[in-house]
Amino acid sequence: MNYGKKGVRAKQKALNSKSQKWGRKLALTCVKIMLAAVVGIGICGVAAGIGVFRGILSSTPTIRLSDVVAVGEATIVYDKEGNEIDQYVSTNSNRLSVGMDEIPDYMGKAFVAIEDERFYQHNGIDVKGILRAGYQFIKTGGEEAQGASTITQQLLKNTVFTDWTSEGDNKIKKIKRKIQEQYLALEITKYYSKDEILLRYMNAINLGQNTLGVESASLRYFGKHCSDLTVSECAVIASITQNPSKYNPIRHPEDNAVRREKCLNKMLELGFISQTQYDEAMADTDAVYERIGLYDIDYQEANATTGSYFSDAVYEQVKQDLILSGYNEAMAETLLTSGGLRVESTLDPKIQAILNEEYADPSNYPENVKWYLNYALTIISPDGTKNNFSKENMMTWFKENQNKKFNLIFSSQDDAYAAIDTYRSAMLAQLGVEDSADNYEETITMTPQPQSAMVIEEQSTGHIVAMIGGRGSKEGRRTLNRATSAKRLPGSTFKVVASYAPALDSAGKTLATVYNDAPFNYADGTPVRNWYKSGYRGIQNIRSAIRDSLNIIAVKNITVITPRLGYDYLLNFGFTTLTDGVQVGNEIKSDVNQSLALGGLTYGVTPYELTAAYAAIANGGTYVTPKLYTRVTDSDGNVILDNTNPPTRQVIKETTAFLLTSAMQDVVTSGTGGKVNFGGMAIAGKTGTTTGPTDAWFAGYTPYYTAATWTGYDNNVDLNSAEDGVSKTLWRKVMKRVHEDLPNTQFPVPSGIVQVAVCSQSGKLPIPGLCDGSVYTEYFAEGTEPTESCDVHYQGEICAYDGLPASPDCPFKYTGIATMPLVEDPALQQGSTVIINNPDGTQTVSTPNTRTQCQHDATFFANPDYEAVINQQQAEINARNAAAQQPQE
């Protein structure tokens, strides 16, 4: 620096220089501008950050406290004694919620120790954990990240932010969701206690093996309720949480063991367990995983179940009731499989066990089991085209190429597989495809035949207490349930509900009403056939017609009362599968016809609905809508469906119900249903066999329970004589065991029932001396008992030729007693003419109503061979009478 005079002057000159002064000002201004810009940018950045943050928070889901709960909880079905019998579970719904009093204290402590050790100190966000995770992330260059989510945040992930993992690798979205998650964690901590948050967390967390929540995991891994877990076992379950796949104690026990030890160490460190508890848990390390292995086998066997036919039916009934209450079908399905419902069913476990055992007993069926093949084949052509072939295609091919009677029924499974090989080879050759397993796919199912189904109802309540929808292994959930879904022709079981119930109830008929079991045609001219094929039994009352299952009498009766009346009663009896006009092909089908009396229907009925109809008779004529459950509640215990008092209606009078019951008791004691009688208990019921026979039924009841059993082939093949008796055998064996511990009792006689002696040939009051051999005592509803005297038995002059009242000119008349032809209702004249070939070569056209006197030509009686003709006709009469006495149905 020059401090001389010259130097000082130069310095002054420089300082006073205008150019330099402006330069300095300009530089200072630039600095100020730069500083202002920096401050401005900072302020804008902060403002923008605040705006973004507020934007994120504003888009945070608005939740209620009730939203912070686990979603997708299994629905549980209980029997009438409170035992769990099934669960309805969709994907990610295997969750069972429990209360804090059902969870051991050290279970919650185990989760805190391994997942969030400062859980009881922070307010939903663990700042220390966040800093630790950030440091680790920076330290490893982003290659190692540690979790900093608290239990509160994990609860939100499992309840509110359930789609977290569906966002892929978009980090911006993840950061946004993380901010929202932390904000909500702070919010719910304001309203929930730590224990409430921990409980909801333990009910929501994924614990591997399709288990959600500690109760489900406890049952899955240790075969017991969560409340019974030890410290050692709690540590196993808590250790799964961080990575349910890696720490799965079944698939990766060694990895779980490492984390379990860490969990126990932390629990000891935090004072959650004592040294003794720690030592006991560590000593259990090897044994605890061995126990899991054992329970895994048990669990797989128990959960390999395809559900029961009963629980399938419960599912369908609850779903329909949910729909009726306002849910759409999709919502009802979701609620049933992941809504955590609790269904209180009507199943009686003891009765169901009996039903299962008897249906599984081979001795209840014919020795030679047959198999019905359900087969589907897909052949893959070289160009990738898939060619599909159904069982119907298979049947057509066999009928055209090998066996015209081929019906997919085989005497052994080996025979079925041989047929499959033959058919598959033929189809492969037809398409020019090499016979290699790589070139085809096939589905094979074989079902034992004949099949059977049974439903048991407690008639006084309408409770369905047991059900089975088929014999053999059940192949899956909600497969064919023959008890509720298979519509089969009911045969003679319909005589009671379609013909006789309406006749006795509102058409003026009684059990003593008589009809003539004689040739009779339907309105179209087709003859009505009795089940015993040949012969006729003459005059029969309704009681004997029910007892012996007489077809002609049932059809005559419904003809008189009209099929429309019978049809209307059936609807009131609860049958939903009937039709009053439906187009099938080019025809309009209707069940309003005479064959309704014999169960000749368009579609058929189910054992479920037939049981309910007979239960109405057993219940004094009151139909109780059959029910499979009493209540359905949500996971919080709120009742959403209440079925404790189902709808009822009086379908027939109480007196009518008793009269039918009395007649059906005869079916069991001396009629077609004798094989079901197990003695000691009052039993009423009706057999039913359809043409072929293709379907065999027994529907009946005791004072306690009503049951209907069906047997037949799934593809309507005819039953043989041994198979025809399966329904009766099963009914007897099941019901005998069901009633073993029940007091023997009789059916109650209601008020309004009277007993009157009547003539069995006319149903009217007997005439002393004429009806003596035909008099019996019958029950009547008061007011319906007969007031007229018998008009069938006749005393006076009789023609020796035909036993009818003699004409004045008859040369061979004698005084005696004769039985006159029955005068039936005029409605029966349609299609019921009878042609009589007279001995003189003439013909007489008459109806069953005609009563005549002997008025044959006098020249006949002058014939010396007339006695031989009389004897021949008498022999024919005797032969017909003998044929009518052959064994019952």
Side-chain angles (χ1 to χ4, degrees):
M1 177 67 74
N2 184 2
Y3 292 104
K5 186 184 289 187
K6 188 176 180 180
V8 170
R9 287 177 179 171
K11 185 65 175 175
Q12 288 177 336
K13 186 177 180 181
L15 291 172
N16 293 324
S17 170
K18 291 184 178 180
S19 59
Q20 290 187 9
K21 183 185 293 186
W22 282 107
R24 286 194 296 273
K25 286 183 178 182
L26 182 60
L28 180 59
T29 300
C30 289
V31 170
K32 289 180 179 180
I33 291 173
M34 289 178 64
L35 288 173
V38 170
V39 172
I41 291 173
I43 292 172
C44 290
V46 171
I50 292 172
V52 170
F53 186 75
R54 286 183 173 177
I56 292 173
L57 294 185
S58 67
S59 63
T60 301
T62 301
I63 63 170
R64 300 164 297 176
L65 296 180
S66 59
D67 293 328
V68 191
V69 293
V71 294
E73 182 177 342
T75 288
I76 304 175
V77 185
Y78 301 95
D79 64 28
K80 65 186 302 182
E81 295 181 357
N83 306 305
E84 181 182 325
I85 59 172
D86 201 5
Q87 293 184 21
Y88 306 142
V89 187
S90 68
T91 304
N92 297 324
S93 296
N94 191 14
R95 174 183 289 106
L96 303 171
S97 295
V98 288
M100 187 61 85
D101 58 340
E102 300 173 84
I103 302 176
D105 179 65
Y106 36 80
M107 170 62 88
K109 298 293 177 58
F111 279 107
V112 171
I114 197 67
E115 289 295 320
D116 187 1
E117 64 180 274
R118 285 177 290 277
F119 172 72
Y120 289 104
Q121 286 78 49
H122 61 64
N123 58 356
I125 299 175
D126 185 4
V127 178
K128 289 184 179 180
I130 294 173
L131 294 176
R132 183 199 70 243
Y135 172 76
Q136 186 68 21
F137 183 82
I138 295 171
K139 179 181 176 181
T140 60
E143 295 182 1
E144 183 178 333
Q146 291 186 352
S149 292
T150 63
I151 282 177
T152 309
Q153 290 172 265
Q154 290 182 50
L155 171 62
L156 289 166
K157 286 180 183 178
N158 284 275
T159 57
V160 178
F161 300 116
T162 54
D163 61 344
W164 176 271
T165 57
S166 67
E167 295 174 356
D169 296 325
N170 190 321
K171 293 182 179 180
I172 294 176
K173 287 185 178 181
K174 286 188 175 183
I175 292 171
K176 173 184 175 182
R177 187 58 57 85
K178 194 70 175 179
I179 293 171
Q180 293 175 333
E181 176 191 298
Q182 291 175 343
Y183 168 72
L184 289 179
L186 292 171
E187 286 297 301
I188 66 171
T189 304
K190 296 177 184 177
Y191 301 101
Y192 279 160
S193 69
K194 290 294 183 178
D195 283 345
E196 287 175 322
I197 292 172
L198 184 59
L199 174 62
R200 290 177 182 249
Y201 168 81
M202 288 189 289
N203 277 323
I205 199 69
N206 179 1
L207 293 167
Q209 293 293 120
N210 193 32
T211 61
L212 303 171
V214 293
E215 175 71 357
S216 181
S218 178
L219 293 169
R220 175 65 178 88
Y221 297 120
F222 297 106
K224 57 185 176 182
H225 293 292
C226 177
S227 58
D228 299 324
L229 292 178
T230 64
V231 172
S232 173
E233 293 162 345
C234 286
V236 169
I237 291 176
S239 299
I240 299 170
T241 309
Q242 187 182 68
N243 189 326
S245 177
K246 179 180 179 180
Y247 297 120
N248 185 310
I250 294 175
R251 297 176 181 173
H252 306 290
E254 64 286 348
D255 291 331
N256 183 275
V258 172
R259 188 162 175 80
R260 171 180 172 275
E261 183 176 355
K262 179 181 178 181
C263 177
L264 290 170
N265 289 336
K266 184 61 70 172
M267 290 178 76
L268 179 63
E269 176 188 329
L270 296 173
F272 291 163
I273 56 175
S274 67
Q275 185 65 49
T276 301
Q277 289 176 307
Y278 174 83
D279 293 340
E280 289 175 352
M282 290 303 296
D284 187 47
T285 298
D286 293 333
V288 73
Y289 293 102
E290 291 176 2
R291 292 199 298 277
I292 291 175
L294 292 174
Y295 283 113
D296 180 47
I297 295 173
D298 293 339
Y299 182 90
Q300 290 185 27
E301 290 178 352
N303 288 272
T305 177
T306 53
S308 69
Y309 290 108
F310 189 96
S311 65
D312 283 357
V314 171
Y315 181 95
E316 296 299 333
Q317 190 171 95
V318 172
K319 185 178 84 170
Q320 290 304 314
D321 288 351
L322 286 171
I323 292 172
L324 290 174
S325 69
Y327 294 90
N328 62 38
E329 186 169 358
M331 291 169 63
E333 291 271 3
T334 300
L335 196 56
L336 262 173
T337 57
S338 58
L341 303 182
R342 301 295 181 262
V343 181
E344 299 168 12
S345 83
T346 59
L347 182 135
D348 186 314
K350 297 183 181 66
I351 296 178
Q352 185 65 54
I354 291 171
L355 195 54
N356 293 344
E357 289 167 11
E358 293 298 339
Y359 263 73
D361 185 350
S363 69
N364 290 331
Y365 307 94
E367 291 185 359
N368 300 318
V369 179
K370 297 174 185 176
W371 299 91
Y372 177 44
L373 174 65
N374 196 337
Y375 180 69
L377 172 68
T378 298
I379 295 176
I380 306 169
S381 299
D383 63 357
T385 302
K386 291 189 175 183
N387 306 275
N388 298 314
F389 301 88
S390 66
K391 66 180 180 182
E392 287 77 18
N393 299 133
M394 182 181 188
M395 184 146 46
T396 300
W397 185 87
F398 267 95
K399 284 185 175 182
E400 292 176 351
N401 294 278
Q402 293 200 358
N403 181 2
K404 291 183 179 180
K405 295 183 178 180
F406 184 81
N407 57 14
L408 295 170
I409 300 293
F410 298 89
S411 58
S412 71
Q413 293 190 356
D414 289 341
D415 289 347
Y417 280 113
I420 289 171
D421 291 341
T422 299
Y423 178 67
R424 184 197 318 114
S425 297
M427 294 303 100
L428 287 165
Q430 179 177 301
L431 294 174
V433 178
E434 181 183 354
D435 193 348
S436 167
D438 294 333
N439 295 333
Y440 65 84
E441 301 169 352
E442 57 188 357
T443 302
I444 301 171
T445 303
M446 281 184 261
T447 312
Q449 301 292 320
Q451 270 296 329
S452 186
M454 187 172 185
V455 178
I456 304 177
E457 177 179 341
E458 184 179 51
Q459 60 257 19
S460 61
T461 62
H463 289 185
I464 303 298
V465 295
M467 171 193 299
I468 197 161
R471 63 183 286 211
S473 300
K474 190 170 181 289
E475 298 297 329
R477 286 192 176 271
R478 292 185 284 286
T479 53
L480 174 63
N481 187 341
R482 297 168 187 84
T484 59
S485 303
K487 295 184 283 291
R488 305 292 296 225
L489 298 183
S492 294
T493 62
F494 247 38
K495 291 173 181 174
V496 173
V497 288
S499 183
Y500 299 126
L504 300 179
D505 198 59
S506 63
K509 305 302 179 183
T510 72
L511 290 178
T513 297
V514 293
Y515 293 97
N516 190 15
D517 183 25
F520 184 72
N521 299 334
Y522 291 109
D524 65 0
T526 304
V528 181
R529 305 293 185 188
N530 272 326
W531 61 265
Y532 44 83
K533 306 299 183 184
S534 63
Y536 301 93
R537 299 188 179 182
I539 297 174
Q540 300 287 318
N541 56 30
I542 286 179
R543 176 180 286 276
S544 61
I546 292 174
R547 179 194 66 212
D548 297 335
S549 196
L550 305 180
N551 292 351
I552 289 174
I553 306 300
V555 175
K556 281 187 172 183
N557 185 69
I558 203 171
T559 302
V560 171
I561 68 171
T562 74
R564 169 59 63 184
L565 181 64
Y567 182 85
D568 290 343
Y569 265 80
L570 289 172
L571 295 181
N572 210 21
F573 268 118
F575 292 101
T576 62
T577 56
L578 309 181
T579 177
D580 189 12
V582 63
Q583 186 160 349
V584 179
N586 295 323
E587 294 183 77
I588 300 296
K589 297 282 188 178
S590 172
D591 294 330
V592 186
N593 54 54
Q594 292 166 290
S595 63
L596 185 67
L598 306 183
L601 305 175
T602 305
Y603 299 116
V605 301
T606 65
Y608 184 86
E609 290 190 348
L610 188 65
T611 301
Y614 270 72
I617 304 173
N619 193 37
T622 300
Y623 180 89
V624 183
T625 303
K627 56 187 177 185
L628 294 156
Y629 73 92
T630 54
R631 291 197 319 162
V632 177
T633 59
D634 61 22
S635 55
D636 293 326
N638 301 309
V639 177
I640 61 173
L641 289 176
D642 190 341
N643 199 25
T644 52
N645 295 303
T648 64
R649 59 180 178 270
Q650 196 75 23
V651 293
I652 54 176
K653 302 181 185 78
E654 188 177 13
T655 52
T656 304
F658 172 79
L659 296 175
L660 292 172
T661 297
S662 177
M664 286 192 283
Q665 283 184 271
D666 290 354
V667 172
V668 176
T669 57
S670 59
T672 59
K675 290 183 179 180
V676 308
N677 195 351
F678 52 83
M681 181 68 67
I683 304 171
K686 185 68 189 73
T687 53
T689 305
T690 59
T691 303
T694 56
D695 302 276
W697 297 80
F698 187 80
Y701 50 88
T702 69
Y704 300 97
Y705 297 105
T706 303
T709 307
W710 164 84
T711 301
Y713 281 79
D714 283 335
N715 60 341
N716 288 303
V717 170
D718 288 354
L719 297 162
N720 61 37
S721 58
E723 296 164 343
D724 186 28
V726 169
S727 285
K728 297 173 189 174
T729 297
L730 286 168
W731 199 97
R732 183 187 75 253
K733 289 194 172 184
V734 169
M735 295 294 272
K736 180 179 181 180
R737 293 179 61 188
V738 167
H739 289 80
E740 280 178 350
D741 298 325
L742 296 173
N744 292 340
T745 185
Q746 298 301 310
F747 295 108
V749 181
S751 60
I753 291 292
V754 297
Q755 288 183 288
V756 177
V758 295
C759 174
S760 63
Q761 298 297 295
S762 65
K764 298 179 180 180
L765 297 176
I767 300 174
L770 294 185
C771 303
D772 292 348
S774 303
V775 178
Y776 80 104
T777 301
E778 183 59 270
Y779 287 110
F780 294 88
E782 192 171 10
T784 67
E785 61 269 32
T787 57
E788 298 178 353
S789 296
C790 174
D791 58 356
V792 169
H793 290 98
Y794 164 82
Q795 186 173 25
E797 291 185 333
I798 301 171
C799 177
Y801 167 67
D802 55 11
L804 296 176
S807 66
D809 297 329
C810 176
F812 302 101
K813 53 189 173 184
Y814 66 93
T815 300
I817 298 174
T819 300
M820 300 286 288
L822 177 67
V823 177
E824 293 183 303
D825 192 290
L828 299 177
Q829 293 182 16
Q830 50 85 24
S832 303
T833 57
V834 178
I835 297 176
I836 300 174
N837 294 310
N838 296 316
D840 61 358
T842 64
Q843 291 184 329
T844 301
V845 179
S846 65
T847 72
N849 303 334
T850 304
R851 289 184 175 177
T852 63
Q853 289 183 314
C854 182
Q855 295 177 340
H856 295 288
D857 194 297
T859 58
F860 167 71
F861 295 106
N863 184 343
D865 296 328
Y866 81 91
E867 290 186 4
V869 175
I870 292 174
N871 291 337
Q872 180 182 351
Q873 291 198 346
Q874 185 61 51
E876 292 174 356
I877 292 172
N878 294 339
R880 287 198 299 271
N881 290 338
Q885 302 303 319
Q886 51 187 311
Q888 308 298 320
E889 181 189 23

